[in-house]
Amino acid sequence: MHLRGLGVIDDAVLEFKPGLTVVTGETGAGKTMVVTGLGLLMGGRADAGAVREGYQSALVEGRLVLDPKNAAVTKAIEAGAELDDGDTLVIARTVSAEGRSRAHVGGRGVPNGLLGEMAGDLVAVHGQSDQIRLQSQSRQRESLDRFGGATVAKALATYRKTYAEMRKLDKKHREITQQFAERAAEAERLRAGLAEIEKVAPQPGEDHELKAESQRLSHAEGLQQAAATANEALSGESEGSGYAVAALMNQVRRALEGGAAHDPALGELGRRAAEIGYLVDDLATECASYAAGVEADPVRLAGVEDRRATLSHLVRGYGEDVDATLAWAQQASVRLLELDNDEQSVDELAERLRELRSTLARHAVALTKARRAAAARLAKAVTGELQELSMVGSRLFVEVTYKPDDEGLVLESDHTIDLIDPAGDTATMLGQGPPVAFGPDGADEIEMLLAPHPGASPRPLGKGASGGELSRVMLGLEVVLGAVDPVPTFVFDEVDSGVGGKAALGIGRRLARLARNSQVLVVTHLPQVAAFADQHLLVRKALSGEVTSSGVHTLDTEGRIRELARMLGGLEDSGSAQAHAEELLAMAEADRQLV
């Protein structure tokens, strides 16, 4: 890991080997910046205050040697990253003095959020703040589920699938139910409209046809006179007029045909005149027929006007004309069919919800059963670790109980399902007992309790445990979890605070045990912990107050003796302190051979 411009660190490179690496140094030397840098690489929040004064930005770059099958590698490759040498992933993070942050993975710029997504498969960072998080029930549930392995994971996945399906169906059911009254009123309006249209029974274009007929009937006498006058003018002489049009056209035709013998052009004009004559004859005949067919009919006119009034009243509510009204009726029929199915849909959804609730209850019971079995094993394993961490006689309890619905965690009041466990074991019964709330992670409340000494009543971790006890419980959990679900790298930042003496030796032993399956980095102030290291890094400030590349030292045996002597009593040159340091190293080496 390369650090530049981060806190007190000017420029430094740290190489962490497999096994247990401890980082020590005097107060203010920049040990915590090592953890800060790792946190930034893992997507932690960027803080402009961490940028060293005089620098425009801080840089943290890490080269991680990983199993190509690691899920984090898959995520990185999907984001466009490339591996070096087939197994090395380069991650870089820069933080500007203004607080802006940029991330790169495998040579590709990526969102900072991707680092956070990858972190869970790469590094587990534990600081003193994690003691607070350990007190939360959600963190305790995550630890239990992780310990439960494939059995709990499968039961949880099955539960979550049903839970998601039920939420989706419930949302649809509530929407239809809440809108049922509105939709029923809409259906009633549509029925009334369709009934009114059916009663009138308009025909396509009927309103326009009736309007035209009304005009004819209202002006029948004038229309008859006009047609008769036109007929007389076309076919015969009328009073005070000259020749009829038909006779004149016949005269024109004969004149043109007579001259056709001398000029064929006149013959063509004669043929056209003949055609016009035929048209005039047809027009005269039609005018005569129209005049004969038009007659005043007051009764029919009254019927037409009544029908027009009825249609006019009808179309005002549904469209501009009869055709628009008929189109509305067609759409309304389709919509009404949909609305009429609401009641059936509500009943079907309600029945499906009842089935899903019952299924969800069974899945919840199976998940609870798996968690309780895992809880018993986890409590036993961590209790054993606590004995090794100088908490002799202490016991950890992991309780798995059902979540009552009075905490507001239930989806809706009708989503509670009666569950009871009268025997306190896996013989859970359905259909009895108080209602239980169901959430996305099951119906369980997970709580870890600690009895710190024999005869003490178990109390929740947040109420009955000191900071030192919480540190050891957290370490015990990680040792147990690391054996069944190892993380590539663990980082502990002074989680041994509030601990000393024999308890510190126990912490060192457990860290060494955890390092059998994972890389472990520890920032510590306890020589009893540092003595168990496979690699010991010393962070030392220069006289200027900076930590440069020469300020990070990988200690050899002699250097470790001097540093442990300093940590023991502040006198690295003291013969007695060095003798004590050598004794610590020898004891730790002997213990590590047994771990």
Side-chain angles (χ1 to χ4, degrees):
M1 182 170 66
H2 178 204
L3 306 175
R4 187 182 68 212
L6 186 67
V8 299
I9 297 180
D10 172 36
D11 194 294
V13 176
L14 299 89
E15 182 177 356
F16 304 108
K17 295 180 179 179
L20 175 60
T21 296
V22 298
V23 181
T24 65
E26 295 182 357
T27 301
K31 302 186 300 297
T32 300
M33 287 298 103
V34 175
V35 179
T36 300
L38 282 169
L40 287 172
L41 288 182
M42 295 301 111
R45 186 177 65 88
D47 182 5
V51 179
R52 182 171 176 77
E53 186 175 352
Y55 280 74
Q56 293 184 346
S57 64
L59 167 68
V60 183
E61 185 179 54
R63 296 179 61 85
L64 291 75
V65 180
L66 299 170
D67 181 347
K69 297 180 181 179
N70 188 296
V73 174
T74 302
K75 294 174 184 176
I77 292 176
E78 289 175 350
E82 295 182 359
L83 297 179
D84 292 348
D85 301 325
D87 63 356
T88 301
L89 183 65
V90 178
I91 300 177
R93 183 92 179 269
T94 58
V95 181
S96 71
E98 292 77 28
R100 293 189 298 272
S101 170
R102 297 179 63 185
H104 290 79
V105 176
R108 177 64 62 91
V110 298
N112 291 325
L114 177 64
L115 300 184
E117 294 177 14
M118 296 167 57
D121 300 304
L122 296 175
V123 176
V125 180
H126 295 285
Q128 295 185 41
S129 61
D130 288 88
Q131 298 177 10
I132 298 174
R133 290 201 294 271
L134 181 62
Q135 299 171 22
S136 73
Q137 291 188 350
S138 62
R139 182 66 176 271
Q140 293 174 14
R141 178 190 56 75
E142 291 171 2
S143 296
L144 175 60
D145 288 353
R146 181 179 159 199
F147 179 79
T151 302
V152 172
K154 182 178 179 181
L156 181 58
T158 301
Y159 172 89
R160 283 175 172 168
K161 181 179 179 180
T162 303
Y163 178 82
E165 184 180 356
M166 192 180 84
R167 284 199 64 176
K168 182 178 179 180
L169 197 67
D170 173 77
K171 180 180 179 182
K172 183 176 181 180
H173 179 264
R174 282 188 286 115
E175 287 176 351
I176 292 180
T177 302
Q178 291 169 0
Q179 298 171 5
F180 190 79
E182 298 176 6
R183 293 163 72 94
E186 181 186 357
E188 191 59 34
R189 290 194 299 271
L190 293 177
R191 287 192 187 91
L194 289 171
E196 183 181 11
I197 293 172
E198 184 179 1
K199 181 179 179 181
V200 174
Q203 300 302 309
E206 182 183 2
D207 49 346
H208 300 295
E209 294 175 1
L210 289 175
K211 180 179 180 181
E213 185 178 0
S214 173
Q215 291 290 323
R216 290 195 302 272
L217 291 173
S218 298
H219 302 84
E221 184 176 346
L223 294 173
Q224 184 182 43
Q225 181 62 41
T229 301
N231 176 54
E232 290 175 359
L234 290 169
S235 61
E237 296 183 359
S238 60
E239 294 181 4
S241 64
Y243 291 103
V245 174
L248 290 173
M249 287 307 302
N250 192 38
Q251 183 180 347
V252 170
R253 177 183 60 78
R254 287 197 303 270
L256 293 172
E257 289 177 349
H262 304 290
D263 188 348
L266 289 181
E268 177 61 27
L269 293 176
R271 284 191 294 274
R272 291 174 61 185
E275 292 175 0
I276 293 173
Y278 300 148
L279 292 175
V280 168
D281 289 340
D282 289 344
L283 181 59
T285 300
E286 291 181 12
C287 286
S289 175
Y290 182 88
V294 174
E295 60 178 289
D297 188 346
V299 175
R300 174 59 182 166
L301 178 60
V304 168
E305 293 301 330
D306 287 345
R307 180 64 174 174
R308 289 186 67 198
T310 300
L311 293 176
S312 178
H313 176 76
L314 177 67
V315 301
R316 277 200 297 268
Y318 307 103
E320 297 179 353
D321 54 20
V322 167
D323 288 348
T325 300
L326 292 173
W328 179 91
Q330 184 177 10
Q331 296 172 357
S333 298
V334 175
R335 175 62 173 164
L336 184 59
L337 183 62
E338 177 185 338
L339 294 174
D340 283 342
N341 288 331
D342 268 4
E343 186 173 353
Q344 180 180 355
S345 297
V346 170
D347 292 342
E348 290 175 353
L349 285 174
E351 178 60 27
R352 177 60 181 149
L353 272 175
R354 283 191 289 270
E355 294 174 358
L356 280 176
R357 290 181 188 129
S358 179
T359 301
L360 189 70
R362 290 194 297 272
H363 292 334
V365 169
L367 178 58
T368 301
K369 180 180 178 180
R371 280 175 170 163
R372 284 179 174 170
R377 299 195 310 272
L378 179 61
K380 181 179 180 180
V382 175
T383 295
E385 290 297 324
L386 295 179
Q387 312 311 304
E388 299 294 332
L389 291 170
S390 298
M391 293 180 65
V392 178
S394 63
R395 294 187 64 192
L396 182 77
F397 297 85
V398 183
E399 291 189 348
V400 181
T401 57
Y402 287 123
K403 226 175 339 190
D405 71 342
D406 57 1
E407 294 189 3
L409 298 172
V410 71
L411 286 176
E412 294 290 339
S413 59
D414 62 346
H415 283 183
T416 58
I417 304 173
D418 289 339
L419 296 176
I420 192 170
D421 186 359
D425 54 22
T426 59
T428 305
M429 304 297 292
L430 298 179
Q432 304 177 30
V436 172
F438 291 84
D441 300 307
D444 302 319
E445 280 187 326
I446 314 298
E447 188 167 33
M448 294 182 180
L449 303 98
L450 180 68
H453 53 80
S457 299
R459 299 189 65 188
L461 290 180
K463 298 179 180 179
S466 66
E469 289 170 336
L470 282 175
S471 295
R472 284 176 277 178
V473 170
M474 184 169 62
L475 178 57
L477 271 172
E478 286 298 356
V479 170
V480 171
L481 294 175
V484 296
D485 184 24
V487 175
T489 300
F490 287 93
V491 180
F492 295 92
D493 181 19
E494 297 193 6
V495 292
D496 48 16
S497 61
V499 179
K502 188 176 181 181
L505 288 172
I507 289 178
R509 290 190 183 97
R510 305 337 278 170
L511 288 171
R513 177 179 173 183
L514 185 61
R516 289 188 307 180
N517 299 311
S518 302
Q519 183 184 43
V520 180
L521 312 179
V522 181
V523 177
T524 183
H525 65 283
L526 292 179
Q528 296 94 329
V529 172
F532 284 88
D534 296 297
Q535 178 190 33
H536 190 151
L537 299 180
L538 172 63
V539 181
R540 181 182 295 139
K541 287 193 296 185
L543 294 177
S544 63
E546 298 178 346
V547 176
T548 64
S549 57
S550 61
V552 179
H553 304 272
T554 301
L555 300 180
D556 56 16
T557 301
E558 183 178 349
R560 293 186 68 190
I561 292 173
R562 289 180 58 83
E563 174 63 6
L564 290 180
R566 181 196 66 77
M567 297 172 72
L568 283 165
L571 301 172
E572 61 266 35
D573 295 324
S574 167
S576 59
Q578 290 189 6
H580 190 183
E582 290 178 359
E583 183 181 0
L584 262 180
L585 285 174
M587 180 206 63
E589 179 61 27
D591 279 356
R592 287 199 306 120
Q593 298 300 324
L594 299 175
V595 171

